[in-house]
Amino acid sequence: PLNQFTVPYKNPERIVLTQLELDILMNKKIMIPRLEEVRDVFIFQCYTGFAYTDIFNFKQNAVSVGIDGDYWLTTYRQKTGTKENVPLLPVALDIINKYKEHFDCVENDKLLPVNSNQRYNGYLKELAEICGIDKKITTHIARHTFATTVTLSNGVPIETVSRMLGHTRLATTQIYAKVLEHKVSEDMQKLKAKLSTSKDEAQEIKKVVN
């Protein structure tokens, strides 16, 4: 009786932060140390794409020098066991350097001062209110933001994003990586300019031929 039964599935709407919201979060003066630390850890996630479990487990010696001579972070995802290898952007490196001498990092051999998942998400809710961001921010939104706002929207190919996120199938990345409207607009503006140039060139050729 169940042979003809299929379970419908609809991809949930992925919440991400825009570049403007990221900038507000990064530049907001936070006077409460615990919230400043959580803000920095969250921004680090947004610019690396690592999941909460990964950043919680990173040791102080986790950073290595990659084949290009720059600094990279590498781990094997706890969820899938696949390799996740990410070159560190300047924003992420600055945050690592900021907490090198942090008492929690030194005492517990941690790359960053990461709270428990429950406390982390609770503090993120406070941060959203302080920064006037009307979105329910959680640790996993950082991963969505990395895939869309930070990488795809800035022209990084989806195959590269998929590799950095440690996905085994490109289809998984396509679920995460919603192309934002401003990226569509930018691409179409480029196409419009290219077609306009081609049209002008064709008219010039026509004048010469005639």
Side-chain angles (χ1 to χ4, degrees):
L2 298 179
N3 284 346
Q4 303 303 315
F5 178 75
T6 57
V7 179
Y9 176 76
K10 183 179 180 181
N11 287 331
E13 183 71 15
R14 304 284 171 172
I15 299 174
V16 301
L17 296 186
T18 65
Q19 188 60 57
L20 176 60
E21 289 168 334
L22 266 179
D23 292 340
I24 291 172
L25 196 57
M26 282 192 291
N27 296 310
K28 183 72 173 179
K29 186 70 174 177
I30 306 294
M31 304 304 295
I32 306 172
R34 62 178 174 83
L35 293 182
E36 182 184 11
E37 291 173 11
V38 167
R39 185 269 307 275
D40 291 341
V41 171
F42 181 77
I43 292 297
F44 180 84
Q45 280 189 273
C46 288
Y47 279 88
T48 60
F50 287 106
Y52 167 80
T53 303
D54 297 321
I55 60 165
F56 183 84
N57 290 325
F58 277 134
K59 304 297 183 183
Q60 285 195 317
N61 64 352
V63 178
S64 61
V65 178
I67 58 172
D68 54 2
D70 287 333
Y71 293 109
W72 291 54
L73 260 179
T74 303
T75 188
Y76 287 87
R77 292 197 68 200
Q78 189 178 65
K79 183 178 179 180
T80 61
T82 55
K83 189 176 183 179
E84 194 171 353
N85 205 18
V86 181
L88 292 174
L89 295 168
V91 172
L93 274 173
D94 288 344
I95 292 172
I96 290 174
N97 290 326
K98 180 178 178 178
Y99 290 100
K100 272 186 176 180
E101 305 300 325
H102 188 278
F103 73 93
D104 184 35
C105 295
V106 173
E107 187 174 326
N108 297 302
D109 188 22
K110 296 168 67 175
L111 185 67
L112 295 172
V114 184
N115 291 293
S116 67
N117 200 17
Q118 183 178 5
R119 184 174 295 177
Y120 186 1
N121 284 322
Y123 291 166
L124 285 176
K125 184 178 179 180
E126 288 186 56
L127 278 171
E129 293 174 357
I130 292 173
C131 295
I133 298 174
D134 189 22
K135 291 177 180 176
K136 185 180 179 181
I137 302 179
T138 64
T139 61
H140 208 62
I141 285 178
R143 192 165 168 84
H144 300 320
T145 300
F146 174 76
T148 55
T149 306
V150 175
T151 54
L152 282 180
S153 291
N154 286 305
V156 179
I158 193 169
E159 294 83 2
T160 303
V161 176
S162 183
R163 179 69 180 271
M164 288 191 291
L165 290 174
H167 290 163
T168 56
R169 297 187 307 121
L170 194 61
T172 306
T173 313
Q174 289 169 335
I175 293 172
Y176 273 84
K178 177 181 69 174
V179 178
L180 303 178
E181 288 182 358
H182 76 81
K183 175 61 176 172
V184 175
S185 175
E186 287 176 6
D187 290 343
M188 292 305 289
Q189 289 296 331
K190 291 177 184 177
L191 176 59
K192 189 186 296 183
K194 185 175 181 180
L195 292 175
S196 178
T197 301
S198 299
K199 184 178 179 181
D200 292 340
E201 290 175 349
Q203 289 177 343
E204 288 299 321
I205 293 173
K206 188 175 181 181
K207 288 179 183 178
V208 173
V209 172
N210 293 336

